[in-house]
Short mmCIF file of all heavy atoms in Angstrom, two decimals:
data_model
loop_
_atom_site.label_atom_id
_atom_site.label_comp_id
_atom_site.label_asym_id
_atom_site.label_seq_id
_atom_site.Cartn_x
_atom_site.Cartn_y
_atom_site.Cartn_z
N TYR A 1140 16.30 -1.52 15.31
CA TYR A 1140 15.53 -2.19 14.27
C TYR A 1140 14.22 -1.44 14.06
O TYR A 1140 13.54 -1.07 15.03
CB TYR A 1140 15.25 -3.63 14.66
CG TYR A 1140 14.15 -4.32 13.88
CD1 TYR A 1140 14.31 -4.61 12.52
CD2 TYR A 1140 12.95 -4.70 14.50
CE1 TYR A 1140 13.30 -5.25 11.81
CE2 TYR A 1140 11.95 -5.34 13.79
CZ TYR A 1140 12.12 -5.61 12.45
OH TYR A 1140 11.12 -6.24 11.74
N MET A 1141 13.84 -1.21 12.80
CA MET A 1141 12.57 -0.60 12.46
C MET A 1141 11.94 -1.35 11.29
O MET A 1141 12.65 -1.90 10.44
CB MET A 1141 12.75 0.87 12.06
CG MET A 1141 13.25 1.78 13.14
SD MET A 1141 13.21 3.52 12.61
CE MET A 1141 11.44 3.82 12.59
N ARG A 1142 10.60 -1.37 11.26
CA ARG A 1142 9.91 -1.99 10.12
C ARG A 1142 8.64 -1.22 9.82
O ARG A 1142 7.86 -0.91 10.73
CB ARG A 1142 9.56 -3.45 10.41
CG ARG A 1142 8.77 -4.12 9.28
CD ARG A 1142 8.50 -5.59 9.55
NE ARG A 1142 7.61 -5.81 10.68
CZ ARG A 1142 6.29 -5.69 10.65
NH1 ARG A 1142 5.68 -5.31 9.52
NH2 ARG A 1142 5.57 -5.92 11.72
N TYR A 1143 8.43 -0.93 8.55
CA TYR A 1143 7.17 -0.36 8.08
C TYR A 1143 6.70 -1.24 6.94
O TYR A 1143 7.36 -1.33 5.90
CB TYR A 1143 7.38 1.08 7.59
CG TYR A 1143 6.10 1.77 7.17
CD1 TYR A 1143 5.40 2.55 8.09
CD2 TYR A 1143 5.58 1.64 5.90
CE1 TYR A 1143 4.23 3.20 7.73
CE2 TYR A 1143 4.41 2.27 5.53
CZ TYR A 1143 3.74 3.04 6.45
OH TYR A 1143 2.57 3.67 6.08
N ALA A 1144 5.55 -1.93 7.14
CA ALA A 1144 5.11 -2.96 6.18
C ALA A 1144 6.24 -3.99 6.09
O ALA A 1144 6.66 -4.52 7.11
CB ALA A 1144 4.74 -2.33 4.84
N ASP A 1145 6.75 -4.27 4.89
CA ASP A 1145 7.85 -5.24 4.80
C ASP A 1145 9.21 -4.57 4.63
O ASP A 1145 10.23 -5.23 4.48
CB ASP A 1145 7.61 -6.24 3.66
CG ASP A 1145 7.66 -5.59 2.29
OD1 ASP A 1145 7.22 -4.44 2.17
OD2 ASP A 1145 8.13 -6.23 1.34
N ASP A 1146 9.24 -3.24 4.67
CA ASP A 1146 10.48 -2.50 4.51
C ASP A 1146 11.14 -2.34 5.87
O ASP A 1146 10.49 -1.86 6.82
CB ASP A 1146 10.19 -1.14 3.88
CG ASP A 1146 11.35 -0.63 3.08
OD1 ASP A 1146 11.47 -1.01 1.92
OD2 ASP A 1146 12.16 0.14 3.64
N GLN A 1147 12.41 -2.72 5.98
CA GLN A 1147 13.06 -2.79 7.27
C GLN A 1147 14.38 -2.02 7.29
O GLN A 1147 15.04 -1.89 6.27
CB GLN A 1147 13.31 -4.25 7.64
CG GLN A 1147 12.00 -5.04 7.70
CD GLN A 1147 12.22 -6.54 7.82
OE1 GLN A 1147 12.80 -7.00 8.78
NE2 GLN A 1147 11.73 -7.29 6.84
N ILE A 1148 14.73 -1.55 8.48
CA ILE A 1148 15.94 -0.75 8.66
C ILE A 1148 16.72 -1.29 9.86
O ILE A 1148 16.13 -1.61 10.91
CB ILE A 1148 15.59 0.73 8.91
CG1 ILE A 1148 14.92 1.35 7.69
CG2 ILE A 1148 16.83 1.53 9.31
CD1 ILE A 1148 14.32 2.73 7.96
N LEU A 1149 18.03 -1.38 9.70
CA LEU A 1149 18.93 -1.69 10.80
C LEU A 1149 19.93 -0.55 10.93
O LEU A 1149 20.54 -0.15 9.94
CB LEU A 1149 19.68 -3.01 10.56
CG LEU A 1149 18.83 -4.28 10.55
CD1 LEU A 1149 19.66 -5.47 10.07
CD2 LEU A 1149 18.25 -4.56 11.94
N MET A 1150 20.09 -0.03 12.15
CA MET A 1150 21.06 1.03 12.42
C MET A 1150 22.09 0.46 13.38
O MET A 1150 21.74 -0.05 14.45
CB MET A 1150 20.37 2.24 13.05
CG MET A 1150 19.21 2.79 12.24
SD MET A 1150 18.44 4.21 13.08
CE MET A 1150 17.04 4.51 11.99
N ALA A 1151 23.36 0.58 13.02
CA ALA A 1151 24.41 -0.04 13.83
C ALA A 1151 25.62 0.87 13.94
O ALA A 1151 25.75 1.86 13.22
CB ALA A 1151 24.82 -1.38 13.20
N ASP A 1152 26.52 0.49 14.85
CA ASP A 1152 27.72 1.29 15.04
C ASP A 1152 28.80 0.97 14.01
O ASP A 1152 29.72 1.77 13.81
CB ASP A 1152 28.28 1.10 16.46
CG ASP A 1152 28.65 -0.36 16.74
OD1 ASP A 1152 28.23 -1.26 15.97
OD2 ASP A 1152 29.36 -0.60 17.73
N LYS A 1153 28.68 -0.17 13.36
CA LYS A 1153 29.66 -0.52 12.34
C LYS A 1153 29.07 -1.53 11.36
O LYS A 1153 28.05 -2.20 11.64
CB LYS A 1153 30.94 -1.07 12.96
CG LYS A 1153 30.74 -2.27 13.87
CD LYS A 1153 32.06 -2.65 14.54
CE LYS A 1153 31.85 -3.82 15.52
NZ LYS A 1153 33.13 -4.20 16.18
N LYS A 1154 29.70 -1.64 10.22
CA LYS A 1154 29.24 -2.48 9.12
C LYS A 1154 29.08 -3.94 9.55
O LYS A 1154 28.09 -4.60 9.24
CB LYS A 1154 30.23 -2.36 7.97
CG LYS A 1154 29.96 -3.24 6.76
CD LYS A 1154 30.98 -2.92 5.67
CE LYS A 1154 30.75 -3.72 4.39
NZ LYS A 1154 31.16 -5.13 4.56
N GLU A 1155 30.06 -4.48 10.27
CA GLU A 1155 30.05 -5.89 10.63
C GLU A 1155 28.85 -6.24 11.52
O GLU A 1155 28.21 -7.29 11.34
CB GLU A 1155 31.35 -6.27 11.34
CG GLU A 1155 32.60 -6.23 10.47
CD GLU A 1155 33.08 -4.82 10.18
OE1 GLU A 1155 32.65 -3.88 10.90
OE2 GLU A 1155 33.88 -4.66 9.23
N THR A 1156 28.53 -5.35 12.44
CA THR A 1156 27.39 -5.59 13.33
C THR A 1156 26.07 -5.60 12.55
O THR A 1156 25.21 -6.47 12.76
CB THR A 1156 27.33 -4.52 14.43
OG1 THR A 1156 28.58 -4.46 15.11
CG2 THR A 1156 26.23 -4.83 15.43
N ALA A 1157 25.91 -4.66 11.65
CA ALA A 1157 24.69 -4.59 10.84
C ALA A 1157 24.55 -5.84 9.98
O ALA A 1157 23.45 -6.40 9.84
CB ALA A 1157 24.72 -3.34 9.96
N GLU A 1158 25.64 -6.29 9.40
CA GLU A 1158 25.57 -7.47 8.53
C GLU A 1158 25.34 -8.75 9.33
O GLU A 1158 24.69 -9.68 8.83
CB GLU A 1158 26.83 -7.55 7.68
CG GLU A 1158 26.88 -6.42 6.63
CD GLU A 1158 28.09 -6.48 5.73
OE1 GLU A 1158 29.09 -7.13 6.10
OE2 GLU A 1158 28.03 -5.85 4.64
N ASP A 1159 25.83 -8.81 10.56
CA ASP A 1159 25.52 -9.95 11.43
C ASP A 1159 24.01 -10.01 11.70
O ASP A 1159 23.39 -11.08 11.68
CB ASP A 1159 26.27 -9.83 12.75
CG ASP A 1159 27.75 -10.19 12.63
OD1 ASP A 1159 28.13 -10.79 11.60
OD2 ASP A 1159 28.52 -9.86 13.55
N LEU A 1160 23.43 -8.84 11.96
CA LEU A 1160 21.98 -8.79 12.20
C LEU A 1160 21.19 -9.15 10.94
O LEU A 1160 20.15 -9.81 11.02
CB LEU A 1160 21.58 -7.39 12.67
CG LEU A 1160 21.88 -7.06 14.14
CD1 LEU A 1160 21.63 -5.59 14.40
CD2 LEU A 1160 21.03 -7.92 15.07
N LEU A 1161 21.66 -8.69 9.79
CA LEU A 1161 20.99 -9.03 8.54
C LEU A 1161 21.01 -10.54 8.32
O LEU A 1161 20.01 -11.14 7.89
CB LEU A 1161 21.67 -8.31 7.37
CG LEU A 1161 21.04 -8.52 6.00
CD1 LEU A 1161 19.66 -7.86 5.93
CD2 LEU A 1161 21.94 -7.94 4.91
N PHE A 1162 22.13 -11.17 8.62
CA PHE A 1162 22.25 -12.62 8.49
C PHE A 1162 21.27 -13.31 9.44
O PHE A 1162 20.59 -14.27 9.06
CB PHE A 1162 23.69 -13.04 8.80
CG PHE A 1162 23.93 -14.53 8.75
CD1 PHE A 1162 23.70 -15.25 7.58
CD2 PHE A 1162 24.37 -15.21 9.88
CE1 PHE A 1162 23.91 -16.62 7.53
CE2 PHE A 1162 24.57 -16.57 9.84
CZ PHE A 1162 24.35 -17.29 8.67
N TYR A 1163 21.19 -12.80 10.67
CA TYR A 1163 20.25 -13.36 11.64
C TYR A 1163 18.81 -13.18 11.17
O TYR A 1163 17.97 -14.10 11.28
CB TYR A 1163 20.45 -12.68 12.99
CG TYR A 1163 19.54 -13.18 14.09
CD1 TYR A 1163 19.64 -14.48 14.57
CD2 TYR A 1163 18.58 -12.34 14.64
CE1 TYR A 1163 18.81 -14.94 15.58
CE2 TYR A 1163 17.73 -12.78 15.64
CZ TYR A 1163 17.86 -14.07 16.11
OH TYR A 1163 17.02 -14.53 17.11
N ALA A 1164 18.50 -12.01 10.61
CA ALA A 1164 17.15 -11.76 10.10
C ALA A 1164 16.79 -12.73 8.98
O ALA A 1164 15.66 -13.22 8.91
CB ALA A 1164 17.05 -10.32 9.59
N SER A 1165 17.75 -13.02 8.11
CA SER A 1165 17.47 -13.95 7.01
C SER A 1165 17.14 -15.33 7.52
O SER A 1165 16.28 -16.03 6.96
CB SER A 1165 18.65 -13.98 6.04
OG SER A 1165 19.79 -14.55 6.64
N LYS A 1166 17.80 -15.76 8.61
CA LYS A 1166 17.50 -17.08 9.19
C LYS A 1166 16.14 -17.10 9.85
O LYS A 1166 15.39 -18.08 9.72
CB LYS A 1166 18.60 -17.46 10.20
CG LYS A 1166 19.97 -17.72 9.57
CD LYS A 1166 20.94 -18.35 10.55
CE LYS A 1166 21.29 -17.43 11.68
NZ LYS A 1166 22.30 -18.04 12.59
N GLU A 1167 15.79 -16.01 10.55
CA GLU A 1167 14.48 -15.96 11.20
C GLU A 1167 13.34 -15.91 10.18
O GLU A 1167 12.28 -16.52 10.37
CB GLU A 1167 14.42 -14.75 12.13
CG GLU A 1167 15.29 -14.87 13.37
CD GLU A 1167 14.91 -16.06 14.23
OE1 GLU A 1167 13.72 -16.15 14.61
OE2 GLU A 1167 15.79 -16.89 14.54
N LEU A 1168 13.55 -15.20 9.10
CA LEU A 1168 12.52 -15.14 8.05
C LEU A 1168 12.36 -16.50 7.37
O LEU A 1168 11.25 -16.89 7.00
CB LEU A 1168 12.89 -14.08 7.01
CG LEU A 1168 12.69 -12.62 7.44
CD1 LEU A 1168 13.29 -11.66 6.42
CD2 LEU A 1168 11.21 -12.30 7.65
N PHE A 1169 13.46 -17.20 7.22
CA PHE A 1169 13.41 -18.53 6.59
C PHE A 1169 12.48 -19.47 7.37
O PHE A 1169 11.80 -20.31 6.78
CB PHE A 1169 14.81 -19.11 6.50
CG PHE A 1169 14.87 -20.47 5.86
CD1 PHE A 1169 14.76 -20.61 4.49
CD2 PHE A 1169 14.99 -21.62 6.64
CE1 PHE A 1169 14.80 -21.87 3.90
CE2 PHE A 1169 15.03 -22.87 6.05
CZ PHE A 1169 14.92 -23.01 4.68
N LYS A 1170 12.44 -19.31 8.68
CA LYS A 1170 11.56 -20.15 9.51
C LYS A 1170 10.10 -19.92 9.18
O LYS A 1170 9.25 -20.77 9.45
CB LYS A 1170 11.81 -19.85 10.99
CG LYS A 1170 13.21 -20.21 11.48
CD LYS A 1170 13.42 -19.77 12.93
CE LYS A 1170 14.83 -20.04 13.39
NZ LYS A 1170 15.07 -19.57 14.79
N LEU A 1171 9.80 -18.75 8.61
CA LEU A 1171 8.42 -18.41 8.23
C LEU A 1171 8.17 -18.63 6.73
O LEU A 1171 7.12 -18.25 6.21
CB LEU A 1171 8.13 -16.95 8.57
CG LEU A 1171 8.11 -16.59 10.05
CD1 LEU A 1171 8.01 -15.08 10.23
CD2 LEU A 1171 6.96 -17.27 10.76
N GLY A 1172 9.15 -19.19 6.04
CA GLY A 1172 9.00 -19.39 4.60
C GLY A 1172 9.25 -18.14 3.79
O GLY A 1172 8.84 -18.05 2.63
N LEU A 1173 9.92 -17.16 4.39
CA LEU A 1173 10.18 -15.88 3.74
C LEU A 1173 11.67 -15.70 3.50
O LEU A 1173 12.50 -16.33 4.14
CB LEU A 1173 9.66 -14.73 4.60
CG LEU A 1173 8.18 -14.78 4.99
CD1 LEU A 1173 7.86 -13.66 5.98
CD2 LEU A 1173 7.28 -14.68 3.77
N ASN A 1174 11.99 -14.79 2.57
CA ASN A 1174 13.39 -14.50 2.26
C ASN A 1174 13.58 -13.01 2.04
O ASN A 1174 12.69 -12.31 1.56
CB ASN A 1174 13.83 -15.25 0.98
CG ASN A 1174 13.88 -16.74 1.17
OD1 ASN A 1174 14.77 -17.28 1.81
ND2 ASN A 1174 12.88 -17.44 0.62
N ILE A 1175 14.77 -12.55 2.38
CA ILE A 1175 15.13 -11.16 2.09
C ILE A 1175 15.37 -11.01 0.60
O ILE A 1175 15.94 -11.89 -0.05
CB ILE A 1175 16.40 -10.76 2.89
CG1 ILE A 1175 16.06 -10.70 4.38
CG2 ILE A 1175 16.95 -9.42 2.42
CD1 ILE A 1175 17.27 -10.53 5.28
N ASN A 1176 14.90 -9.89 0.05
CA ASN A 1176 15.15 -9.59 -1.36
C ASN A 1176 16.59 -9.10 -1.49
O ASN A 1176 16.89 -7.94 -1.21
CB ASN A 1176 14.16 -8.51 -1.82
CG ASN A 1176 14.25 -8.23 -3.30
OD1 ASN A 1176 15.23 -8.60 -3.96
ND2 ASN A 1176 13.25 -7.56 -3.84
#
Side-chain angles (χ1 to χ4, degrees):
Y1140 164 67
M1141 295 188 70
R1142 177 177 66 80
Y1143 184 94
D1145 67 324
D1146 209 84
Q1147 301 170 61
I1148 295 169
L1149 293 171
M1150 305 179 186
D1152 60 345
K1153 56 185 177 180
K1154 177 176 182 286
E1155 292 76 16
T1156 306
E1158 290 182 340
D1159 284 345
L1160 282 171
L1161 183 67
F1162 178 60
Y1163 180 66
S1165 66
K1166 292 192 294 183
E1167 290 299 306
L1168 286 171
F1169 180 77
K1170 296 175 184 178
L1171 294 172
L1173 304 173
N1174 292 286
I1175 291 171
N1176 185 344

